Amino acid sequence: MTKPVIALLGTGYMGAPMARNLLKGGYVLKVWNRSLDKAEPLAQDGAEVFGKAKSAVQDADIVITMLTDGAAVEEVLFTYDAAGMLKTGAMVIDMSSIKPAQAREHAAKLEAMGHKHLDAPVSGGTKGAEDGTLAIMVGGDKGDFEAAKPVLACMGRAVHVGPHGAGQLAKLANQAIVGTTIGVVAEALLLAKQGGADPDAIRDALKGGFADSIILQQHGGRMTSGNFEPGALSKIQLKDLNNILEEAGHLDLTLPLAEHMQARYSRLVDELEGGGKDHSGIYLELKDRNGL
Amino acid sequence: MTKPVIALLGTGYMGAPMARNLLKGGYVLKVWNRSLDKAEPLAQDGAEVFGKAKSAVQDADIVITMLTDGAAVEEVLFTYDAAGMLKTGAMVIDMSSIKPAQAREHAAKLEAMGHKHLDAPVSGGTKGAEDGTLAIMVGGDKGDFEAAKPVLACMGRAVHVGPHGAGQLAKLANQAIVGTTIGVVAEALLLAKQGGADPDAIRDALKGGFADSIILQQHGGRMTSGNFEPGALSKIQLKDLNNILEEAGHLDLTLPLAEHMQARYSRLVDELEGGGKDHSGIYLELKDRNGL
């Protein structure tokens, strides 16, 4: 069995380390990025660098997209018409975080053209991308998932979570939990601090118990040290919460905590800090609300 | 150095396994329980069983209380007057979950009588009590904490989190995080399910990432299987949230997520299921709210 030829579109802060892990996995890799300078360094890792997305995908069996949002994916696939250059039966694995509805639409368009599609957004940040330990949430046909598994395994742990769009739904579920957990960790630590307890000791005391999480330890640590350098931006957390509520709206669902946190992050971003701080900055919003 | 003699008051579902771990640690242990039948089986593990709290504590260097709530601790120490029978300089370690204000009051009363006090509530449930792996959150004098450390080490991992009452504050912080995380896990899994994704696969996909927690895996599992047998009771979660808001009120603090979850658990307990289900039953409240 020969290995599939892969094209990776989008070699930014996530895509570049993912590309390196695919090269380490022994795949022939063609890369493209909107600003070419971010793709060029990958030549010395063995990638073939292209100035146009259409050219990069021409002989590829698998096309991986790792772009900013749904509009960027739409543009590259259908406006620049990378999709039109694909070999029949090629598979597009979209690892960008986009709206579930967009992922379903892309899948339908590609299928109509005779191609396959998986939505496969990730969690784990640049560290996960570098270490090849990303959580990869995959929506689409189960058989396509099985076929893509060896490729995905170079980049992290892939789990099939349902049909087209389900990977993006899982990512939204992830972001709902992250944003709200940050919110309640802020309350717990502020309560402790105002009551005279030591918030760092409390994080230590809670370690390994029911209240423990990466959020409590990492984001909670940022709150007690007062260091809100990102990390993940509060304005991205707000965008995620907006997408969660939009998808909930499509499904006629009320999600009261997501609504509450959307209002809180709106206030943080629009009235307090402009969106450039880490999402653990909701601690600042809580303090402000309490006149502290 | 001779080991301190310990009296343990309250040998219920948590106190009994804690007593066994103290006996395994080689301590002389005197036990009392309001209903004697729950204390008597400990005789065969080597404990000396007493019919009155006053008698159990008479020669003890350390008195551990593991009782239902602050009123029960108050009654045993000051109404039944166990405190009046203590040797001068004896230490009371209250491992019950009570209000921070009550803990501070008990500490002051005992100090006025020449005794020491630590508030040391726990997290980890009966399994943690049996395995000796409880998270123990300790408020009080740092020197008293150091003196008590070998005793506490028989029952779990103890961390000093601040002055009198701080242990109880840490427990409230723990419960705020637990209750709210359960709430958002419910939303994330319902969103995923209604959108056609597989909630069990999503829990798997999120494992090890930023959204992961014991709550996501254990309580989330209860939600997808629809098994709400306790576990920890929804009415206890409601009591904890009431205590959190009461303490926040003393501190003139607004905690909007705790307020939100208090209203949600009130609705669950008072209008939907009566308080006897597991606290992961907030999933039922969310479904009901959505007409599902």
Side-chain angles (χ1 to χ4, degrees):
Chain A
M1 233 173 75
T2 55
K3 285 189 163 189
V5 171
I6 303 177
L8 177 67
L9 309 180
T11 57
Y13 72 108
M14 292 294 288
M18 288 160 62
R20 290 197 182 89
N21 283 323
L22 289 165
L23 289 163
K24 277 183 206 153
Y27 289 96
V28 171
L29 187 70
K30 300 162 180 246
V31 297
W32 167 86
N33 194 68
R34 191 183 303 267
S35 46
L36 197 59
D37 59 311
K38 285 188 185 160
E40 278 166 343
L42 290 165
Q44 64 193 49
D45 298 286
E48 195 178 346
V49 181
F50 289 81
K52 291 193 168 179
K54 281 176 78 159
S55 319
V57 305
Q58 205 160 2
D59 301 314
D61 302 296
I62 291 180
V63 175
I64 295 173
T65 43
M66 192 60 182
L67 300 162
T68 314
D69 55 21
V73 175
E74 175 83 22
E75 183 179 54
V76 169
L77 289 181
F78 303 111
T79 309
Y80 299 172
D81 199 28
M85 295 298 287
L86 294 180
K87 294 199 293 195
T88 301
M91 186 190 298
V92 174
I93 307 178
D94 184 13
M95 302 184 75
S96 326
S97 289
I98 74 174
K99 297 178 191 181
Q102 292 172 317
R104 289 181 205 113
E105 190 190 316
H106 295 170
K109 281 191 188 175
L110 287 166
E111 279 184 5
M113 299 168 80
H115 308 309
K116 295 162 183 165
H117 179 270
L118 294 174
D119 52 299
V122 305
S123 172
T126 48
K127 182 156 173 34
E130 284 156 16
D131 298 347
T133 57
L134 292 167
I136 309 175
M137 300 155 260
V138 188
D141 181 83
K142 182 80 196 238
D144 293 343
F145 168 72
E146 293 299 336
K149 228 173 164 181
V151 173
L152 295 173
C154 297
M155 296 176 281
R157 194 173 76 92
V159 177
H160 184 251
V161 295
H164 294 302
Q168 299 296 348
L169 265 176
K171 179 71 192 274
L172 291 184
N174 188 84
Q175 296 308 91
I177 293 172
V178 167
T180 308
T181 306
I182 290 175
V184 72
V185 163
E187 290 190 12
L189 296 181
L190 188 64
L191 172 68
K193 188 179 172 209
Q194 294 303 106
D198 173 356
D200 284 324
I202 290 207
R203 284 194 297 113
D204 182 27
L206 268 43
K207 206 172 276 177
F210 281 109
D212 197 17
S213 63
I214 299 175
I215 301 290
L216 175 64
Q217 298 304 331
Q218 289 190 16
H219 299 72
R222 287 179 181 170
M223 294 174 200
T224 55
S225 71
N227 177 359
F228 298 105
E229 290 306 303
L233 293 169
S234 58
K235 68 180 175 189
I236 302 292
Q237 181 70 58
L238 177 57
K239 185 201 81 173
D240 291 336
L241 286 160
N242 286 331
N243 286 344
I244 288 160
L245 294 180
E246 185 178 321
E247 179 68 13
H250 292 320
L251 298 167
D252 204 19
L253 269 184
T254 297
L255 302 180
L257 283 169
E259 283 170 24
H260 173 90
M261 292 311 302
Q262 193 276 344
R264 301 279 303 282
Y265 273 102
S266 285
R267 186 166 175 268
L268 175 67
V269 169
D270 298 336
E271 296 175 31
L272 296 173
E273 56 87 8
K277 288 201 192 293
D278 189 74
H279 52 170
S280 55
I282 203 71
Y283 188 67
L284 301 172
E285 192 272 348
L286 181 66
K287 279 175 70 176
D288 178 83
R289 185 175 284 264
N290 279 285
L292 295 169
Chain B
M1 236 177 72
T2 55
K3 285 190 164 190
V5 172
I6 303 177
L8 176 67
L9 309 180
T11 58
Y13 71 106
M14 292 293 287
M18 288 160 63
R20 289 197 183 90
N21 282 323
L22 288 166
L23 289 163
K24 278 183 206 151
Y27 289 95
V28 171
L29 187 70
K30 299 161 181 249
V31 298
W32 168 86
N33 194 68
R34 192 182 303 265
S35 46
L36 195 60
D37 59 310
K38 284 188 185 160
E40 277 166 343
L42 291 165
Q44 64 193 47
D45 298 284
E48 195 177 346
V49 180
F50 289 82
K52 291 192 169 178
K54 281 176 79 158
S55 320
V57 304
Q58 205 159 3
D59 301 314
D61 302 295
I62 291 179
V63 175
I64 295 173
T65 44
M66 193 59 182
L67 301 162
T68 315
D69 55 20
V73 175
E74 175 83 21
E75 184 180 54
V76 170
L77 290 181
F78 304 111
T79 309
Y80 299 173
D81 198 26
M85 295 298 288
L86 294 180
K87 294 199 293 194
T88 302
M91 186 190 297
V92 174
I93 306 178
D94 184 13
M95 302 185 75
S96 325
S97 289
I98 74 173
K99 297 178 190 181
Q102 292 173 316
R104 290 182 205 112
E105 188 189 316
H106 296 169
K109 280 190 189 176
L110 288 165
E111 279 183 4
M113 299 167 79
H115 307 310
K116 295 163 182 164
H117 179 271
L118 294 174
D119 52 299
V122 304
S123 172
T126 49
K127 181 154 173 32
E130 283 157 15
D131 298 346
T133 58
L134 292 167
I136 309 174
M137 300 154 259
V138 189
D141 180 83
K142 183 79 197 240
D144 293 343
F145 168 73
E146 293 298 335
K149 228 173 162 180
V151 172
L152 295 172
C154 297
M155 297 176 280
R157 194 173 77 92
V159 177
H160 184 252
V161 295
H164 294 303
Q168 298 296 348
L169 265 176
K171 179 70 191 274
L172 292 184
N174 187 86
Q175 296 308 92
I177 293 172
V178 167
T180 307
T181 306
I182 290 175
V184 74
V185 163
E187 290 190 11
L189 296 181
L190 188 64
L191 172 68
K193 189 180 172 207
Q194 295 302 107
D198 174 354
D200 284 324
I202 291 208
R203 284 193 297 113
D204 183 25
L206 269 43
K207 206 173 275 179
F210 280 110
D212 197 17
S213 63
I214 300 175
I215 302 290
L216 175 64
Q217 297 304 331
Q218 288 190 15
H219 298 72
R222 286 178 181 168
M223 294 173 199
T224 54
S225 70
N227 177 1
F228 298 104
E229 291 305 303
L233 293 169
S234 59
K235 68 180 175 189
I236 302 292
Q237 181 71 56
L238 178 56
K239 185 202 80 173
D240 291 335
L241 285 159
N242 286 331
N243 286 344
I244 288 160
L245 295 179
E246 186 178 320
E247 179 68 13
H250 292 321
L251 297 169
D252 204 19
L253 270 182
T254 298
L255 302 179
L257 284 168
E259 283 171 23
H260 173 89
M261 291 311 302
Q262 194 276 346
R264 301 278 303 282
Y265 273 103
S266 284
R267 186 166 175 269
L268 176 67
V269 169
D270 297 338
E271 296 175 32
L272 296 174
E273 56 86 9
K277 288 203 193 290
D278 188 74
H279 52 169
S280 55
I282 202 72
Y283 188 68
L284 300 172
E285 192 273 348
L286 180 67
K287 280 175 69 176
D288 179 83
R289 184 176 285 264
N290 278 287
L292 296 169

